[in-house]
Amino acid sequence: AGAGEVEVTWPEPLTAAERVARAARFWATMVPILAAYKLLELRGGDEAQWDALHARSAASIRGALEALQGFYIKSGQLVATRVDLFPPAFAKELATMTDGVAPMPAKLARAVVERELLGGRRIEEVFSEFDEAPVGSASVAQVHRAVLRESGQQVAVKVQRPAVEPKMLADVSNLTALFGQPALREAFPVDYYVVFSELGKQLEREFDFETEAQSQERIRSALLAGPSGSPVAVPAVCEGLVAPRCFAMEFANGVPLSRAAEEMPSASEAERQLFGRRLLGALTQAFGRMILLEGFFHGDPHPGNIFVDPKTGEVTLLDFGQTKELSEETRLGLARLVVLVAEQPEDLEQVDTVAIRTLIESIGVQFVEGADDTAGAAAAMWLFDSRPELPGGYSPSELDAKSPALAVASFPREMVFVGRSSVLIRGITAALGVNWSLAKEWAPIARQALVTDQERRAGIIPDASPSAAGPLNWLSTRLLAPLLAALRRTAAAARALAAAALRRAPLPLRRLLL
């Protein structure tokens, strides 16, 4: 049935009273927990008392987050991944919490597709199959498998929940206020106020599916433009099937990374290790190329947004609602920093701490008063390397009193999402128990970025002078390569914009142009 042939109740945005009640429920849970921690700290509780409080608090927080849903679920998932920052009771309690919101009624989902995506046409006119049960359902949207009638292609249709935007933005506001409390900002080596502030800004973009589709196509084009193709799959967006609240793309085979182990019950340990290393290599290359070459990258890399095919090993990136674009200055500064960290000797006494601190400060990282050069070097190596020891006696553990994170006074907001990519890859590395230096893996990409942008500097990358490389090779490297690379990047962005414009054009015009 079409959208006009059935009675559909469209959800209304939250009223002011409902928003207040939602915030009150959140704070009614958090205030007593914060008070209990402060009281036990003043009393000097023993280990058993702290463990009991952690367990009670984690259970209480999980109950509140699951009742509230929305962005609170995403925040709980973030806490669960930071086993190095939060007590084990929190990771255990929140790890199984999923963004498994009950799906919209089938009639409502169909009505959204027909009104938002198809301009009033019936689903049967465009799709020969449309599964009413979604393959995934989350706080912002749900995804339905469908088959295009004209081509027979299997696609995924992403459908946004009506009236979800104000609720999610109010959630972020509450969490930003919570982590903006001075006591909490001082309690963690990572400033979660900055993290949630940046996430809030990005979340506003996540509700515009036309922007998401454009970002997805831009990243897909950039990765495919590499000399060996893309290290990961990015589903192509279906032309003509993009709207602000609904769009269609290629269907991705596989399962979320969080369920990959369940799909390989009979695999040997050697097979699991091989699979893990291939996964690690693909993600490392993909994010290195997005961040250092394109300067535009996926900003929400968690296990639910990464699909893997246990049969083929193919890795697929999904959900481009949160993306981040770096300034040229930051992108090139990161490239120089990665190369410098990768080139440091194993002997910590020989590490060039002055040069590393100079570079990490050049991209906006500031350190507390009194922090020496080893703090800057340790922070950079903690972020991009996996050494068991760091310069200056600093510890790679964030909760250790000698964590380099404690020497950081401020972290630039655009670097928050680079850090999320680093955390994802380091987490996979830890799970596999392998030694994986992100700096060394990214160094060739970083050097390419510096060559492309005429950023060869003495002591950072090999000399490209005429005497070193020959006049013709020097001319190609110093003049033509940067020009061609700039043209390729401009062309990729132009293709994405053209594709977005074409998708919004009337169907007869699209057929004429195609």
Side-chain angles (χ1 to χ4, degrees), residues 43 127 130 139 174 374 411 425 462 473 499 502:
R43 290 178 176 175
F127 303 105
F130 187 89
S139 296
N174 285 331
T374 61
F411 202 65
I425 294 171
N473 192 40
L502 185 60

Side-chain angles (χ1 to χ4, degrees), residues 60 88 133 152 160 166 173 278 286 301 305 314 341 394 474 481 500:
S60 179
Q160 187 174 132
S173 178
R278 287 178 176 173
N305 287 341
E314 183 177 58
V341 171
Y394 283 95
W474 178 85

Side-chain angles (χ1 to χ4, degrees), residues 241-310:
L241 291 175
V242 179
R245 299 291 180 262
C246 190
F247 77 107
M249 71 193 88
E250 289 177 328
F251 191 84
N253 292 311
V255 297
L257 178 58
S258 54
R259 287 173 39 205
E262 302 173 12
E263 300 295 321
M264 304 171 62
S266 59
S268 66
E269 181 60 28
E271 290 172 328
R272 289 175 183 270
Q273 282 286 322
L274 179 60
F275 179 84
R277 286 181 176 273
R278 287 178 176 173
L279 167 69
L280 196 54
L283 292 175
T284 298
Q285 287 296 308
F287 278 95
R289 285 163 58 176
M290 283 187 282
I291 292 169
L292 298 173
L293 293 181
E294 185 68 11
F296 184 76
F297 59 99
H298 192 298
D300 192 20
H302 63 74
N305 287 341
I306 301 168
F307 265 42
V308 294
D309 189 333

Side-chain angles (χ1 to χ4, degrees), residues 127-144:
F127 303 105
S128 58
E129 298 179 29
F130 187 89
D131 293 350
E132 292 195 348
V135 295
S137 175
S139 296
V140 173
Q142 60 191 49
V143 177
H144 294 259

Side-chain angles (χ1 to χ4, degrees), residues 89-135:
F90 280 79
K92 181 179 179 181
E93 187 71 38
L94 301 180
T96 57
M97 186 173 64
T98 60
D99 197 4
V101 184
M104 288 183 278
K107 289 182 179 180
L108 177 58
R110 291 175 64 94
V112 173
V113 173
E114 291 176 346
R115 188 175 83 168
E116 298 284 342
L117 185 63
L118 305 182
R121 289 177 293 168
R122 297 173 68 242
I123 277 183
E124 289 75 14
E125 295 180 45
V126 179
F127 303 105
S128 58
E129 298 179 29
F130 187 89
D131 293 350
E132 292 195 348
V135 295

Side-chain angles (χ1 to χ4, degrees), residues 222-223 226-229 231 280-295 331-332 334-339 342 425 436-453 455 461 489:
L223 290 177
S228 56
L280 196 54
L283 292 175
T284 298
Q285 287 296 308
F287 278 95
R289 285 163 58 176
M290 283 187 282
I291 292 169
L292 298 173
L293 293 181
E294 185 68 11
R331 183 179 69 85
L332 296 175
L334 270 174
R336 288 190 287 270
L337 181 62
V338 164
V339 171
I425 294 171
W436 191 270
S437 171
L438 197 58
K440 290 181 179 178
E441 296 295 329
W442 278 1
I445 303 172
R447 291 189 180 95
Q448 181 184 347
L450 294 169
V451 170
T452 299
D453 291 273
E455 288 292 329
I461 56 176
R489 294 180 65 188

